[in-house]
Amino acid sequence: MHLAYPAVLSALLFCTGLYGVLARRNAILVLMSVELMLNAVNLNLVAFDVWLSRTAEETLHSGQALTLFTIAIAAAEIGIGLAIVLAVHRNRGTADIDKLRDTSERHDPDHDARTAGQSDEAQKAEATA
């Protein structure tokens, strides 16, 4: 098998994952797209390891070792990511990324107007006192 076949497949998988990360709004689908990108990298690592081992006649298999390391990192990443998504979903009621952008501050125009009105009254009270 030529090196071009797994390389093209890996490029297609990576581009599909990149599209999923950039276009999706659901946090779980974004995590799945990141996993797809990592699997494309794993496919490249194994394909180039096999190709280099045929040409160099070495049996080190460093690409396969790096693939196992990447799989372990991906498993840890998805575990932590899902825990964060579940905690946010319990608190906010949604896993939509657009609705979660302002988690530390709420931009409520009515609340800002009421707060500004109260501060004006407080300043008037201080000025008269």
Side-chain angles (χ1 to χ4, degrees):
M1 180 186 295
H2 294 285
L3 181 63
Y5 298 131
V8 168
L9 178 62
S10 176
L12 289 174
L13 284 175
F14 191 84
C15 290
T16 304
L18 185 65
Y19 173 75
V21 167
L22 295 176
R24 298 293 177 190
R25 299 293 179 234
N26 191 352
I28 295 175
L29 292 177
V30 170
L31 288 174
M32 288 174 59
S33 297
V34 169
E35 290 294 321
L36 189 62
M37 291 167 60
L38 287 173
N39 285 331
V41 170
N42 288 340
L43 180 62
N44 253 346
L45 284 171
V46 170
F48 277 98
D49 179 51
V50 169
W51 182 68
L52 288 174
S53 68
R54 285 183 186 169
T55 59
E57 296 298 328
E58 65 180 41
T59 58
L60 186 58
H61 298 298
S62 58
Q64 293 177 11
L66 284 173
T67 298
L68 289 175
F69 182 71
T70 306
I71 289 171
I73 295 296
E77 175 257 334
I78 199 70
I80 292 171
L82 281 176
I84 291 171
V85 168
L86 286 175
V88 168
H89 184 31
R90 284 184 191 155
N91 290 336
R92 299 280 179 167
T94 184
D96 191 7
I97 295 175
D98 287 337
K99 294 179 182 175
L100 299 175
R101 289 192 180 181
D102 299 326
T103 57
S104 62
E105 298 177 6
R106 290 193 177 219
H107 296 291
D108 187 13
D110 296 331
H111 178 69
D112 293 340
R114 282 181 273 147
T115 307
Q118 290 173 357
S119 63
D120 289 341
E121 291 173 6
Q123 288 176 355
K124 289 178 185 177
E126 287 179 9
T128 57

